[in-house]
């Protein structure tokens, strides 16, 4: 059973989401403030954390900072409508995706399933030992490990997913819609900056090619391309 940690100070909303998630087969634990939420998220007991941005004392952004300092647990952010700055900052700090409130329990559950499907979609023995190599990049999808120039890359689950998609199509552009569907498990929404922010983070984490260029290139009107060098 997938264990979900829900961090939100809105007791009514937490109750509604918890009831729906449990009906869908998830085990749900709740924390109503950032301090306890971060502690629980770092316990290793959960497959994913759902984290609200607007909380008193330690807010969601600072809670995410604490979590990402020690863990790569998938994190789905809950943000208010119109809070573009919070969404972008959350993604830059390592959130895997976000849902805008108000949202339905069904939408939230679908987003949770999409994230978990991408992080857990490896069957024992299937593709065992498969390695993706593109220039200085080496990826081991089954172990969810990646290196650049033999140095380990610290990637969030979504960053790993997107980089894997680009590596499998190295040498040709991949559209943002393809990246969203294959990397995030959902179609690209209008005005969605998710892919752009994650790819910007990946550029910082990857090294450069021998000629100083970034291995991740934007191809005008076509998407993004991982250079095969």
């Amino acid at each position: 059973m997938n264990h979900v940690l829900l961090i939100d100070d809105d007791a009514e909303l937490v109750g509604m989401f918890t009831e729906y998630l449990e009906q869908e087969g998830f085990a749900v634990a709740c924390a109503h403030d950032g301090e306890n939420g971060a502690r629980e998220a770092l316990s290793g007991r959960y497959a994913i954390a759902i984290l609200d941005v607007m909380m008193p004392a330690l807010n969601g952004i600072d809670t995410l900072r604490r979590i990402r300092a020690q863990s790569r647990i998938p994190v789905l952010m809950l943000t208010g409508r119109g809070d573009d700055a919070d969404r972008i900052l959350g993604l830059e700090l390592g959130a895997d995706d976000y849902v805008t409130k108000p949202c339905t329990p069904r939408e939230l559950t679908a987003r949770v399933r999409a994230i978990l499907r991408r992080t857990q979609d490896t069957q024992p023995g299937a593709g065992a030992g498969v390695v993706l190599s593109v220039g200085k990049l080496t990826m081991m999808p089954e172990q969810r490990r990646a290196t650049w120039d033999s140095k380990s890359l610290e990637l969030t689950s979504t960053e790993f997913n997107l980089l894997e998609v680009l590596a499998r199509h190295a040498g040709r552009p991949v559209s943002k819609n393809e990246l969203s569907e294959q990397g995030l498990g959902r179609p690209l929404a209008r005005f969605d900056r998710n892919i752009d922010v994650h790819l910007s983070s990946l550029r910082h984490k990857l090294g450069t090619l021998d000629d100083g260029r970034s291995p991740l290139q934007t191809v005008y009107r076509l998407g993004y391309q991982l250079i095969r060098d």
Side-chain angles (χ1 to χ4, degrees):
M1 181 180 289
N2 283 317
H3 288 70
V4 176
L5 175 63
L6 183 53
I7 310 170
D8 196 318
D9 66 321
D10 187 331
E12 183 177 351
L13 191 66
V14 166
M16 179 177 65
F17 285 155
T18 297
E19 181 178 359
Y20 192 90
L21 285 164
E22 288 179 342
Q23 289 175 355
E24 293 295 307
F26 294 93
V28 183
C30 304
H32 299 288
D33 62 81
E35 292 279 355
N36 287 315
R39 189 180 307 113
E40 282 295 303
L42 295 172
S43 69
R45 293 195 293 265
Y46 304 97
I48 187 171
I50 301 170
L51 175 61
D52 184 37
V53 169
M54 296 300 294
M55 291 187 294
L58 192 68
N59 64 34
I61 296 297
D62 290 333
T63 302
L64 178 62
R65 283 193 177 96
R66 289 196 185 184
I67 294 170
R68 278 291 171 259
Q70 300 181 51
S71 173
R72 289 184 289 171
I73 179 177
V75 175
L76 175 64
M77 300 290 289
L78 294 174
T79 67
R81 192 176 301 279
D83 291 341
D84 294 336
D86 284 339
R87 284 197 286 271
I88 292 173
L89 180 56
L91 293 172
E92 289 175 340
L93 290 173
D96 292 271
D97 205 350
Y98 63 83
V99 175
T100 302
K101 294 196 301 184
C103 64
T104 65
R106 183 177 181 179
E107 179 185 2
L108 180 76
T109 303
R111 201 64 64 86
V112 167
R113 288 193 190 281
I115 293 172
L116 293 180
R117 188 163 51 244
R118 290 300 302 172
T119 57
Q120 300 175 350
D121 194 17
T122 52
Q123 300 176 2
V130 171
V131 175
L132 296 174
S133 294
V134 181
K136 296 180 180 181
L137 174 68
T138 301
M139 302 191 75
M140 292 140 279
E142 188 174 77
Q143 292 83 25
R144 306 280 299 174
R145 292 178 53 238
T147 63
W148 178 266
D149 201 15
S150 300
K151 297 178 181 178
S152 180
L153 291 171
E154 293 297 321
L155 305 176
T156 67
S157 61
T158 296
E159 289 169 352
F160 188 96
N161 297 341
L162 294 171
L163 188 56
E164 181 183 353
V165 174
L166 290 165
R168 292 186 183 277
H169 299 85
R172 77 166 183 84
V174 182
S175 71
K176 288 172 65 173
N177 194 59
E178 284 182 275
L179 285 168
S180 186
E181 289 184 340
Q182 296 180 40
L184 303 182
R186 61 179 175 83
L188 184 70
R190 191 180 183 189
F191 305 123
D192 193 340
R193 294 282 310 281
N194 213 321
I195 299 297
D196 302 303
V197 176
H198 285 306
L199 269 290
S200 175
S201 177
L202 277 171
R203 281 197 179 101
H204 286 294
K205 292 184 178 183
L206 293 175
T208 59
L209 302 174
D210 291 338
D211 60 7
R213 291 179 300 161
S214 168
L216 281 179
Q217 295 290 316
T218 302
V219 183
Y220 183 61
R221 290 187 176 180
L222 294 178
Y224 291 95
Q225 177 178 329
L226 180 65
I227 295 176
R228 184 182 291 280
D229 187 69

